Amino acid sequence: MRRIVGNWKANGSTAQAQALCAALPAPPAGVDVTVCPPLCLLWAARGSLPPGIRLGAQDVSRVDGGAFTGEVTAPMLLDAGCVLALVGHSERRQQGAEDDALIGLKLRACWRHGLLPVLCVGETAAQRRDGSTDAVLAAQVGRVLAGAPPAPLWMAYEPVWAIGTGQAATPEDCARGIAVIRAAVAEAWPAAPPVPCLYGGSVHPANCAAFWREGGADGALVGGASLDAAAFVAICRLAGDA
Ligand code: 13P
């Protein structure tokens, strides 16, 4: 089973969300497809998606409800039809000043309510240059999972330098990062089966297959190309090829 998740980020209107969702066919056999629109477009997307494509959120609150102005909780996301939430995306780490402690609380909020967290980790360009990629990835995973019993989880390896730059990781970079992430999850959860691990960062139809054929990824977390129906459909179709 390959997994393709589209992260629309802060893009789209009601009309654009409806048009994009209506242009998506049901996923090919053996491919699990989820789209993550902005929160205010979840309902528009829900009404326009074909059967078989699931809804996700780009973030989730650490709290379950109450006097927390602006927060959107895991129960609310489930009520809106989401099955998963991205947690710890690098844009939230950098722009929202989220640290691993907060990200860990968000994972636990997902687990309390049965929402699947997709934990995003990745090194910056500076960390890559100074050779600390492996240590950064292992530390991000280790700190977030510390003390948590095994629970449903997908991982996403998203090198920060590859996001939105057009400069994707090589399949070798991908394979190495995913191996480090898998080892870190196995260290936190020694008895648990391996968790799916996606690759994200400048994924498009011409490079995607290399990430699962040679890069060891279980699928892709797609940003910009998920806003282009033809490109996103092509990636999903390629994920279904043997
Ligand atoms: P791009 O595919 O636009 O590089 O974005 C990747 C990403 O951040 C997905 O979460």
Side-chain angles (χ1 to χ4, degrees):
M1 169 70 72
R2 294 199 178 115
R3 297 156 180 85
I4 305 297
V5 179
N7 175 8
W8 294 4
K9 307 191 180 184
N11 292 293
S13 62
T14 300
Q16 286 168 333
Q18 288 169 334
L20 179 51
C21 291
L24 302 178
V31 186
D32 183 314
V33 180
T34 309
V35 294
C36 301
L39 289 172
C40 58
L41 300 179
L42 281 171
W43 285 95
R46 183 176 177 171
S48 308
L49 280 172
I53 298 193
R54 307 190 302 162
L55 266 185
Q58 299 174 17
D59 187 25
V60 59
S61 177
R62 75 192 189 289
V63 299
D64 294 339
F68 297 98
T69 302
E71 295 288 320
V72 177
T73 67
M76 291 170 181
L77 294 175
L78 288 162
D79 183 50
C82 293
V83 295
L84 61 75
L86 307 183
V87 182
H89 191 282
S90 64
E91 286 154 12
R92 297 217 55 83
R93 290 177 190 259
Q94 294 183 330
Q95 299 160 11
E98 294 196 6
D99 61 13
D100 288 321
L102 174 57
I103 291 163
L105 292 176
K106 291 183 171 196
L107 250 73
R108 285 156 180 80
C110 288
W111 289 330
R112 278 197 298 279
H113 299 284
L115 190 64
L116 173 69
V118 181
L119 173 60
C120 305
V121 297
E123 80 284 3
T124 63
Q127 290 165 337
R128 174 175 159 84
R129 269 195 307 277
D130 73 20
S132 55
T133 296
D134 295 3
V136 167
L137 296 177
Q140 287 177 342
V141 174
R143 281 195 295 259
V144 172
L145 297 189
L153 177 68
W154 290 2
M155 293 295 311
Y157 174 38
E158 293 214 308
V160 178
W161 49 268
I163 294 177
T165 60
Q167 185 202 345
T170 64
E172 295 73 30
D173 290 328
C174 176
R176 178 174 173 148
I178 282 181
V180 171
I181 290 166
R182 286 194 196 291
V185 175
E187 197 175 321
W189 294 345
V195 302
C197 195
L198 315 187
Y199 167 80
S202 297
V203 171
H204 53 73
N207 67 8
C208 62
F211 295 115
W212 46 80
R213 294 232 175 97
E214 300 152 50
D218 296 300
L221 179 50
V222 185
S226 72
L227 295 167
D228 175 341
F232 192 63
V233 170
I235 292 168
C236 296
R237 186 170 35 74
L238 287 159
D241 292 348

